[in-house]
Amino acid sequence: MELHSARITRRSKSNLAFALASLPAEKRRDMVSFYAFCRVIDDLADDPALSRDQKEEGLDRWRRGIEHGFRAPEPLESELEVLRKKYEIPSAQLLEILAGVRADLDKKRYQTFEELK
C-alpha cells in the first residue's frame, strides 16, 4: 500500500524527492513522510488562492496537532506521528519548521543576512 506522503512527494516533482530514491527502503519511506509534511505546510503558506486567515487557520491546525496530538488524524498527520515516535522528534523541532513557514505570511524580502537571521 502506498503512503499518502509518497503521492504528495511524487506530485512535487522536486529534485530532493528524486534524490530520496537512493535511500534504503525504510529510510526512504521515513524521509518521504517528513518531506511531505514540509511540502504540505509550505504549500499551505504559499497558496495564493487562500486568504491569510485560511492560511493561519491551516497552520494553527498543524501546530495544535503537533502540540497536543491530532484528534482525527488525516493520513499525513498519522505518518508524522509515526515518525515522531520512531525518531523521538521533539515537538519543538517541528514547531520551529512551522514557525519558519509561518514567517512567509509576513515579510518576503530581507535586505541583509543579519536581518534574515
Side-chain angles (χ1 to χ4, degrees):
M1 182 173 91
E2 182 180 57
L3 295 175
H4 183 70
S5 58
R7 289 190 296 275
I8 293 168
T9 302
R10 194 173 41 257
R11 280 194 313 260
S12 76
K13 299 182 182 182
S14 164
N15 290 335
L16 175 61
F18 178 75
L20 296 177
S22 66
L23 294 172
E26 182 180 356
K27 288 192 185 284
R28 180 176 53 245
R29 278 190 308 272
D30 294 347
M31 288 302 297
V32 163
S33 293
F34 183 73
Y35 173 82
F37 159 68
C38 294
R39 173 86 279 138
V40 164
I41 63 172
D42 189 57
D43 287 349
L44 174 61
D46 293 340
D47 190 339
L50 298 177
S51 70
R52 181 183 175 101
D53 287 345
Q54 290 170 312
K55 293 175 184 183
E56 287 178 346
E57 181 179 314
L59 294 173
D60 284 344
R61 182 178 189 285
W62 276 101
R63 180 189 49 74
R64 285 189 305 273
I66 290 167
E67 289 177 334
H68 308 291
F70 297 96
R71 287 189 180 158
E74 295 178 9
L76 182 57
E77 294 164 345
S78 293
E79 288 181 45
L80 183 63
E81 286 302 306
V82 168
L83 287 180
R84 291 177 69 181
K85 290 176 184 156
K86 182 176 182 178
Y87 294 102
E88 299 178 357
I89 302 170
S91 295
Q93 289 181 338
L94 296 173
L95 293 172
E96 283 184 39
I97 295 169
L98 199 57
V101 168
R102 185 180 285 280
D104 288 351
L105 300 182
D106 294 318
K107 195 163 190 174
K108 299 289 185 192
R109 301 276 183 217
Y110 300 94
Q111 300 301 315
T112 66
F113 183 71
E114 286 302 313
E115 188 180 350
L116 173 63
K117 288 188 342 186

mmCIF file of all heavy atoms in Angstrom, residues 40-64:
data_model
loop_
_atom_site.group_PDB
_atom_site.id
_atom_site.type_symbol
_atom_site.label_atom_id
_atom_site.label_comp_id
_atom_site.label_asym_id
_atom_site.label_seq_id
_atom_site.Cartn_x
_atom_site.Cartn_y
_atom_site.Cartn_z
ATOM 1 N N VAL A 40 3.694 20.131 2.422
ATOM 2 C CA VAL A 40 2.293 20.497 2.633
ATOM 3 C C VAL A 40 2.169 21.809 3.411
ATOM 4 O O VAL A 40 1.383 22.680 3.031
ATOM 5 C CB VAL A 40 1.528 19.348 3.336
ATOM 6 C CG1 VAL A 40 0.213 19.813 3.918
ATOM 7 C CG2 VAL A 40 1.300 18.207 2.359
ATOM 8 N N ILE A 41 2.935 21.964 4.466
ATOM 9 C CA ILE A 41 2.797 23.204 5.238
ATOM 10 C C ILE A 41 3.356 24.393 4.469
ATOM 11 O O ILE A 41 2.814 25.496 4.547
ATOM 12 C CB ILE A 41 3.384 23.104 6.661
ATOM 13 C CG1 ILE A 41 4.879 22.847 6.644
ATOM 14 C CG2 ILE A 41 2.631 22.059 7.478
ATOM 15 C CD1 ILE A 41 5.552 22.938 8.007
ATOM 16 N N ASP A 42 4.425 24.176 3.688
ATOM 17 C CA ASP A 42 4.971 25.272 2.884
ATOM 18 C C ASP A 42 3.986 25.672 1.788
ATOM 19 O O ASP A 42 3.756 26.858 1.545
ATOM 20 C CB ASP A 42 6.317 24.873 2.289
ATOM 21 C CG ASP A 42 7.014 26.046 1.621
ATOM 22 O OD1 ASP A 42 7.241 27.073 2.315
ATOM 23 O OD2 ASP A 42 7.326 25.962 0.419
ATOM 24 N N ASP A 43 3.395 24.683 1.121
ATOM 25 C CA ASP A 43 2.403 24.981 0.085
ATOM 26 C C ASP A 43 1.194 25.705 0.675
ATOM 27 O O ASP A 43 0.630 26.593 0.044
ATOM 28 C CB ASP A 43 1.953 23.703 -0.620
ATOM 29 C CG ASP A 43 3.020 23.137 -1.548
ATOM 30 O OD1 ASP A 43 4.028 23.828 -1.820
ATOM 31 O OD2 ASP A 43 2.835 21.985 -1.994
ATOM 32 N N LEU A 44 0.804 25.322 1.869
ATOM 33 C CA LEU A 44 -0.306 25.986 2.547
ATOM 34 C C LEU A 44 -0.007 27.474 2.738
ATOM 35 O O LEU A 44 -0.835 28.331 2.427
ATOM 36 C CB LEU A 44 -0.571 25.311 3.895
ATOM 37 C CG LEU A 44 -1.609 25.942 4.810
ATOM 38 C CD1 LEU A 44 -2.982 25.978 4.162
ATOM 39 C CD2 LEU A 44 -1.669 25.187 6.126
ATOM 40 N N ALA A 45 1.169 27.786 3.217
ATOM 41 C CA ALA A 45 1.540 29.180 3.472
ATOM 42 C C ALA A 45 1.696 29.981 2.183
ATOM 43 O O ALA A 45 1.481 31.197 2.177
ATOM 44 C CB ALA A 45 2.840 29.243 4.270
ATOM 45 N N ASP A 46 2.062 29.308 1.094
ATOM 46 C CA ASP A 46 2.324 29.999 -0.166
ATOM 47 C C ASP A 46 1.135 30.026 -1.123
ATOM 48 O O ASP A 46 1.212 30.656 -2.178
ATOM 49 C CB ASP A 46 3.513 29.347 -0.884
ATOM 50 C CG ASP A 46 4.819 29.532 -0.143
ATOM 51 O OD1 ASP A 46 4.911 30.451 0.698
ATOM 52 O OD2 ASP A 46 5.757 28.753 -0.409
ATOM 53 N N ASP A 47 0.049 29.360 -0.795
ATOM 54 C CA ASP A 47 -1.079 29.214 -1.716
ATOM 55 C C ASP A 47 -1.771 30.555 -1.960
ATOM 56 O O ASP A 47 -2.408 31.107 -1.058
ATOM 57 C CB ASP A 47 -2.076 28.207 -1.148
ATOM 58 C CG ASP A 47 -3.156 27.818 -2.133
ATOM 59 O OD1 ASP A 47 -3.407 28.568 -3.105
ATOM 60 O OD2 ASP A 47 -3.762 26.754 -1.934
ATOM 61 N N PRO A 48 -1.677 31.087 -3.188
ATOM 62 C CA PRO A 48 -2.294 32.387 -3.475
ATOM 63 C C PRO A 48 -3.827 32.339 -3.479
ATOM 64 O O PRO A 48 -4.480 33.380 -3.385
ATOM 65 C CB PRO A 48 -1.755 32.746 -4.863
ATOM 66 C CG PRO A 48 -1.390 31.443 -5.483
ATOM 67 C CD PRO A 48 -1.005 30.530 -4.353
ATOM 68 N N ALA A 49 -4.402 31.140 -3.547
ATOM 69 C CA ALA A 49 -5.864 31.015 -3.571
ATOM 70 C C ALA A 49 -6.471 31.118 -2.172
ATOM 71 O O ALA A 49 -7.683 31.274 -2.035
ATOM 72 C CB ALA A 49 -6.263 29.685 -4.213
ATOM 73 N N LEU A 50 -5.629 31.054 -1.148
ATOM 74 C CA LEU A 50 -6.126 31.109 0.226
ATOM 75 C C LEU A 50 -5.915 32.499 0.822
ATOM 76 O O LEU A 50 -4.906 33.151 0.557
ATOM 77 C CB LEU A 50 -5.392 30.091 1.101
ATOM 78 C CG LEU A 50 -5.543 28.621 0.729
ATOM 79 C CD1 LEU A 50 -4.692 27.758 1.641
ATOM 80 C CD2 LEU A 50 -7.007 28.197 0.794
ATOM 81 N N SER A 51 -6.862 32.913 1.639
ATOM 82 C CA SER A 51 -6.704 34.168 2.369
ATOM 83 C C SER A 51 -5.686 33.970 3.485
ATOM 84 O O SER A 51 -5.389 32.836 3.878
ATOM 85 C CB SER A 51 -8.041 34.613 2.973
ATOM 86 O OG SER A 51 -8.400 33.738 4.038
ATOM 87 N N ARG A 52 -5.210 35.057 4.020
ATOM 88 C CA ARG A 52 -4.273 34.963 5.146
ATOM 89 C C ARG A 52 -4.933 34.215 6.314
ATOM 90 O O ARG A 52 -4.301 33.386 6.963
ATOM 91 C CB ARG A 52 -3.814 36.345 5.586
ATOM 92 C CG ARG A 52 -2.818 36.268 6.736
ATOM 93 C CD ARG A 52 -2.405 37.636 7.232
ATOM 94 N NE ARG A 52 -1.557 37.489 8.390
ATOM 95 C CZ ARG A 52 -0.239 37.580 8.388
ATOM 96 N NH1 ARG A 52 0.389 37.834 7.264
ATOM 97 N NH2 ARG A 52 0.454 37.431 9.493
ATOM 98 N N ASP A 53 -6.210 34.500 6.579
ATOM 99 C CA ASP A 53 -6.915 33.815 7.669
ATOM 100 C C ASP A 53 -6.974 32.308 7.437
ATOM 101 O O ASP A 53 -6.802 31.524 8.379
ATOM 102 C CB ASP A 53 -8.332 34.368 7.834
ATOM 103 C CG ASP A 53 -8.360 35.751 8.467
ATOM 104 O OD1 ASP A 53 -7.324 36.175 9.037
ATOM 105 O OD2 ASP A 53 -9.409 36.412 8.393
ATOM 106 N N GLN A 54 -7.229 31.893 6.213
ATOM 107 C CA GLN A 54 -7.282 30.466 5.897
ATOM 108 C C GLN A 54 -5.909 29.817 6.091
ATOM 109 O O GLN A 54 -5.807 28.702 6.607
ATOM 110 C CB GLN A 54 -7.758 30.245 4.465
ATOM 111 C CG GLN A 54 -9.219 30.579 4.257
ATOM 112 C CD GLN A 54 -9.596 30.578 2.786
ATOM 113 O OE1 GLN A 54 -8.909 31.164 1.954
ATOM 114 N NE2 GLN A 54 -10.702 29.911 2.473
ATOM 115 N N LYS A 55 -4.867 30.528 5.671
ATOM 116 C CA LYS A 55 -3.507 30.013 5.847
ATOM 117 C C LYS A 55 -3.180 29.874 7.332
ATOM 118 O O LYS A 55 -2.655 28.844 7.767
ATOM 119 C CB LYS A 55 -2.495 30.941 5.175
ATOM 120 C CG LYS A 55 -2.609 30.963 3.666
ATOM 121 C CD LYS A 55 -1.667 31.992 3.067
ATOM 122 C CE LYS A 55 -1.842 32.076 1.574
ATOM 123 N NZ LYS A 55 -0.897 33.002 0.947
ATOM 124 N N GLU A 56 -3.497 30.906 8.099
ATOM 125 C CA GLU A 56 -3.224 30.858 9.536
ATOM 126 C C GLU A 56 -4.011 29.739 10.199
ATOM 127 O O GLU A 56 -3.496 29.036 11.068
ATOM 128 C CB GLU A 56 -3.534 32.201 10.186
ATOM 129 C CG GLU A 56 -2.518 33.263 9.848
ATOM 130 C CD GLU A 56 -2.828 34.626 10.441
ATOM 131 O OE1 GLU A 56 -3.969 34.839 10.907
ATOM 132 O OE2 GLU A 56 -1.925 35.471 10.431
ATOM 133 N N GLU A 57 -5.260 29.573 9.795
ATOM 134 C CA GLU A 57 -6.092 28.510 10.362
ATOM 135 C C GLU A 57 -5.489 27.138 10.067
ATOM 136 O O GLU A 57 -5.418 26.271 10.940
ATOM 137 C CB GLU A 57 -7.506 28.601 9.780
ATOM 138 C CG GLU A 57 -8.468 27.577 10.311
ATOM 139 C CD GLU A 57 -9.847 27.745 9.698
ATOM 140 O OE1 GLU A 57 -10.340 28.883 9.633
ATOM 141 O OE2 GLU A 57 -10.412 26.713 9.295
ATOM 142 N N GLY A 58 -5.036 26.924 8.838
ATOM 143 C CA GLY A 58 -4.419 25.653 8.473
ATOM 144 C C GLY A 58 -3.125 25.394 9.236
ATOM 145 O O GLY A 58 -2.894 24.288 9.728
ATOM 146 N N LEU A 59 -2.292 26.419 9.352
ATOM 147 C CA LEU A 59 -1.042 26.262 10.088
ATOM 148 C C LEU A 59 -1.303 26.077 11.580
ATOM 149 O O LEU A 59 -0.593 25.304 12.240
ATOM 150 C CB LEU A 59 -0.118 27.460 9.835
ATOM 151 C CG LEU A 59 0.392 27.588 8.389
ATOM 152 C CD1 LEU A 59 1.142 28.896 8.202
ATOM 153 C CD2 LEU A 59 1.255 26.400 7.997
ATOM 154 N N ASP A 60 -2.319 26.746 12.101
ATOM 155 C CA ASP A 60 -2.685 26.566 13.510
ATOM 156 C C ASP A 60 -3.175 25.142 13.778
ATOM 157 O O ASP A 60 -2.912 24.579 14.843
ATOM 158 C CB ASP A 60 -3.755 27.572 13.938
ATOM 159 C CG ASP A 60 -3.198 28.963 14.167
ATOM 160 O OD1 ASP A 60 -1.959 29.107 14.296
ATOM 161 O OD2 ASP A 60 -4.003 29.915 14.222
ATOM 162 N N ARG A 61 -3.859 24.562 12.816
ATOM 163 C CA ARG A 61 -4.320 23.173 12.970
ATOM 164 C C ARG A 61 -3.109 22.248 13.100
ATOM 165 O O ARG A 61 -3.078 21.360 13.955
ATOM 166 C CB ARG A 61 -5.182 22.745 11.791
ATOM 167 C CG ARG A 61 -5.719 21.335 11.937
ATOM 168 C CD ARG A 61 -6.620 20.945 10.754
ATOM 169 N NE ARG A 61 -7.296 19.703 10.994
ATOM 170 C CZ ARG A 61 -6.738 18.501 10.937
ATOM 171 N NH1 ARG A 61 -5.467 18.373 10.656
ATOM 172 N NH2 ARG A 61 -7.448 17.409 11.166
ATOM 173 N N TRP A 62 -2.098 22.459 12.266
ATOM 174 C CA TRP A 62 -0.878 21.662 12.368
ATOM 175 C C TRP A 62 -0.198 21.903 13.715
ATOM 176 O O TRP A 62 0.254 20.961 14.362
ATOM 177 C CB TRP A 62 0.087 21.998 11.223
ATOM 178 C CG TRP A 62 -0.216 21.254 9.963
ATOM 179 C CD1 TRP A 62 -0.863 21.738 8.863
ATOM 180 C CD2 TRP A 62 0.107 19.899 9.677
ATOM 181 N NE1 TRP A 62 -0.957 20.755 7.909
ATOM 182 C CE2 TRP A 62 -0.364 19.621 8.388
ATOM 183 C CE3 TRP A 62 0.757 18.898 10.391
ATOM 184 C CZ2 TRP A 62 -0.208 18.369 7.788
ATOM 185 C CZ3 TRP A 62 0.917 17.652 9.799
ATOM 186 C CH2 TRP A 62 0.436 17.399 8.507
ATOM 187 N N ARG A 63 -0.143 23.155 14.145
ATOM 188 C CA ARG A 63 0.505 23.474 15.427
ATOM 189 C C ARG A 63 -0.192 22.754 16.573
ATOM 190 O O ARG A 63 0.450 22.105 17.400
ATOM 191 C CB ARG A 63 0.506 24.985 15.681
ATOM 192 C CG ARG A 63 1.169 25.379 17.014
ATOM 193 C CD ARG A 63 0.970 26.849 17.353
ATOM 194 N NE ARG A 63 -0.405 27.314 17.243
ATOM 195 C CZ ARG A 63 -1.380 27.037 18.104
ATOM 196 N NH1 ARG A 63 -1.157 26.280 19.161
ATOM 197 N NH2 ARG A 63 -2.595 27.514 17.924
ATOM 198 N N ARG A 64 -1.516 22.846 16.610
ATOM 199 C CA ARG A 64 -2.271 22.181 17.677
ATOM 200 C C ARG A 64 -2.048 20.671 17.654
ATOM 201 O O ARG A 64 -1.885 20.037 18.694
ATOM 202 C CB ARG A 64 -3.759 22.498 17.561
ATOM 203 C CG ARG A 64 -4.121 23.905 18.001
ATOM 204 C CD ARG A 64 -5.625 24.112 18.074
ATOM 205 N NE ARG A 64 -6.327 23.801 16.836
ATOM 206 C CZ ARG A 64 -6.517 24.662 15.833
ATOM 207 N NH1 ARG A 64 -6.060 25.899 15.919
ATOM 208 N NH2 ARG A 64 -7.168 24.282 14.752
#
